Amino acid sequence: MKLGRNCLVIFFLLALSISFFGEPVVIRFWHVYDAGVSQETINQIVAEFNESHEGVIKVESLGISFWDYWDKLRISIAAKQEPEVFLNDLGNVPMRASTGVLLDLSPYIEKAGIDLEDTFFETPLNMCKWEDGLYALPFETDVRFMYYNKDLFAEAGLDPDRPPQSWEEVWEMADKITKTTPQGDYEVLGFNPLYAQSYFWMYVWGNDGSFLDEEGNLKLNSTIVVKSLEEWKEMIDSLGFEKIQEFNATYPLGLNDAFINGKLGMVIQNNTFFSQIETYAPDLNYGIFQLPYPVKPTSWSNGFSIEVSSRSPNKDAAAEFALYLLSEYPQYLFAKNVSSLVGNQRAATSPDLMEKELWKISVETLEISKFRPFILEYPLWYEDLQTAIDMVLYGKSSPQKALDDLQKRVEAEIERYKFTH
């Protein structure tokens, strides 16, 4: 692929306006790619940028462990010492944009002549918008779909090359796969709605529901959400809530993952789960398919954004590098080497990538996927939603009451935010 050299020339010419052959402008770039092929790839991308901008811009790249990164970045922002360019959570860009810490990239995008609709996937790009500006760019995202064990399908008398075509078939096939011990515990479970990347909000979307009303306000006790929670509880009760919990405790994610160990016929996971299969069970015979929820197929996405500090003394150079990171060649390189579903749709839909079944379904699933809606006044609303769900599953509340109580708390929190801001 020869996209890179042309891009580098263009960026070099644009960068000449930033510096006049004195000392290069130094840009600090923080990210979570601190080991393996992801580190090698990001280092290559930065090195090629530096080479093409020699004497003009120099990027100093720092990869920090994922588990330490978020605290370090948060502390640096609080101390007003954040790097010029940094990776962050794609799901809550507006929270930072609303504080003024992020640079609006719209003028730079317009100056560079970038067609946003033609360049980026719509769903992750929309998460970067705040009011009338664009305060980040979607470096990489993800999707959820179903993995299924073809050998378990065959053992149950099912066609291993025909996954479920409807939500009803998911459960019909799951029942045929499920095996119990003489004590009544699950030896093999056809499908587990409380395992891995299976979440209630995805089921609401699959019922063609929403957590927002027509005015865009958070509405967690609407008729469709209540109905979905009633159905969710019925599904779990049919399997036995305590038995599911025991199963989950027996097979924690990772090396002992139930699907990887042939104990789960179908599992909802993200598009990167295949790498764990390759590591722990390279001979596992599996397939993939989109989630055929009751009313419509859907998925859930999140990911990482690239953001630029509004407090940087070198905003032009920082924006230059940020746009480069999201241009076609670096994004293609990251997608190809790291198998990451990048935000640049031109890179992600490169023919050589689309030849792979898992990659193709990932891209197709992104077209129907959703992000959890961001609510500035109550950004972690979904954590309280999960608490309400747990109340229902543990039999401490009915779906209607749990969601009614939650809605009251939501409205109180939103009013409190408005009062204090």
Side-chain angles (χ1 to χ4, degrees):
M1 190 168 183
K2 299 183 178 179
L3 298 169
R5 305 308 167 191
N6 293 334
C7 287
L8 291 173
V9 171
I10 292 171
F11 279 110
F12 177 71
L13 293 175
L14 290 173
L16 288 178
S17 63
I18 298 173
S19 175
F20 291 96
F21 305 104
E23 290 296 317
V25 171
V26 176
I27 299 298
R28 293 175 301 150
F29 171 42
W30 286 10
H31 53 81
V32 297
Y33 310 115
D34 67 328
V37 67
S38 61
Q39 181 187 52
E40 295 171 2
T41 302
I42 206 72
N43 285 348
Q44 177 184 345
I45 291 169
V46 171
E48 292 187 4
F49 178 88
N50 283 340
E51 181 183 354
S52 68
H53 293 72
E54 187 174 358
V56 181
I57 304 174
K58 179 182 179 182
V59 175
E60 295 180 347
S61 175
L62 178 63
I64 302 171
S65 164
F66 179 90
W67 308 110
D68 299 327
Y69 180 79
W70 307 104
D71 283 341
K72 289 183 181 295
L73 181 61
R74 177 180 53 80
I75 292 170
S76 74
I77 291 175
K80 299 182 179 180
Q81 296 179 355
E82 70 273 4
E84 283 79 5
V85 181
F86 47 89
L87 178 141
N88 218 325
D89 185 347
L90 182 55
N92 54 26
V93 172
M95 182 167 61
R96 293 179 293 281
S98 68
T99 68
V101 73
L102 300 185
L103 180 67
D104 182 4
L105 298 174
S106 300
Y108 300 94
I109 290 169
E110 182 178 354
K111 184 177 180 180
I114 297 173
D115 185 333
L116 290 175
E117 293 184 1
D118 186 53
T119 304
F120 300 104
F121 288 111
E122 179 181 8
T123 300
L125 179 67
N126 285 340
M127 296 305 296
C128 299
K129 298 176 180 178
W130 171 247
E131 295 183 336
D132 296 327
L134 187 69
Y135 290 87
L137 290 170
F139 187 73
E140 61 172 320
T141 186
D142 57 13
V143 291
R144 276 80 182 160
F145 43 72
M146 196 86 84
Y147 292 72
Y148 73 102
N149 186 313
K150 291 188 175 185
D151 290 339
L152 289 181
F153 266 57
E155 289 175 16
L158 301 169
D159 184 348
D161 295 319
R162 183 191 179 278
Q165 306 298 304
S166 67
W167 191 242
E168 291 77 11
E169 284 194 347
V170 167
W171 286 105
E172 290 172 2
M173 294 181 178
D175 288 344
K176 294 180 179 179
I177 293 169
T178 297
K179 299 177 183 178
T180 57
T181 66
Q183 293 75 32
D185 298 323
Y186 288 119
E187 181 180 344
V188 176
L189 196 51
F191 174 60
N192 184 345
L194 292 182
Y195 196 78
Q197 294 288 307
S198 180
Y199 295 97
F200 172 67
W201 53 78
M202 296 167 62
Y203 187 73
V204 173
W205 296 332
N207 268 339
D208 203 16
S210 174
F211 295 103
L212 302 176
D213 62 18
E214 293 180 356
E215 287 74 39
N217 299 312
L218 199 58
K219 185 69 172 177
L220 301 180
N221 64 339
S222 66
T223 301
I224 187 63
V225 177
V226 173
K227 174 179 178 292
S228 296
L229 186 50
E230 290 170 346
E231 294 175 355
W232 188 254
K233 179 172 170 54
E234 288 175 4
M235 287 186 290
I236 292 164
D237 284 349
S238 69
L239 294 173
F241 183 44
E242 290 185 2
K243 288 184 178 181
I244 292 179
Q245 288 181 304
E246 292 174 1
F247 182 90
N248 293 351
T250 304
Y251 299 104
L253 302 179
L255 175 62
N256 296 314
D257 180 276
F259 186 80
I260 286 175
N261 284 276
K263 299 298 182 179
L264 192 56
M266 291 174 279
V267 66
I268 297 174
Q269 270 286 9
N270 65 27
N271 55 290
T272 64
F273 181 60
F274 79 95
S275 62
Q276 294 184 46
I277 297 175
E278 290 182 350
T279 299
Y280 299 126
D283 297 326
L284 187 66
N285 185 19
Y286 71 96
I288 52 177
F289 61 98
Q290 286 183 348
L291 297 164
Y293 280 120
V295 178
K296 60 187 297 186
T298 191
S299 185
W300 167 44
S301 293
N302 204 49
F304 296 140
S305 55
I306 292 294
E307 302 170 6
V308 177
S309 170
S310 63
R311 295 188 283 236
S312 170
N314 302 305
K315 296 181 182 64
D316 291 349
E320 177 85 1
F321 176 61
L323 294 188
Y324 173 77
L325 284 174
L326 274 295
S327 62
E328 188 171 351
Y329 169 66
Q331 286 271 280
Y332 169 79
L333 197 63
F334 203 81
K336 181 176 180 292
N337 292 355
V338 186
S339 296
S340 168
L341 184 55
V342 293
N344 187 309
Q345 63 177 335
R346 292 183 179 180
T349 57
S350 298
D352 59 324
L353 298 177
M354 294 295 284
E355 289 178 354
K356 305 172 184 177
E357 179 190 9
L358 190 142
W359 188 269
K360 186 173 183 290
I361 197 172
S362 297
V363 171
E364 291 173 347
T365 302
L366 187 55
E367 297 296 326
I368 62 170
S369 193
K370 297 176 181 288
F371 279 73
R372 291 176 303 219
F374 176 80
I375 307 298
L376 178 63
E377 301 89 347
Y378 199 40
L380 298 180
W381 61 269
Y382 48 85
E383 292 186 358
D384 282 348
L385 173 63
Q386 186 59 55
T387 300
I389 294 168
D390 290 342
M391 291 282 288
V392 172
L393 296 182
Y394 279 99
K396 296 181 179 180
S397 181
S398 68
Q400 184 72 64
K401 186 179 187 306
L403 293 175
D404 285 344
D405 291 345
L406 175 60
Q407 185 65 27
K408 291 176 183 177
R409 292 199 301 275
V410 166
E411 293 173 359
E413 287 295 328
I414 291 175
E415 286 304 312
R416 185 177 294 111
Y417 178 93
K418 292 179 179 178
F419 180 76
T420 57
H421 290 75

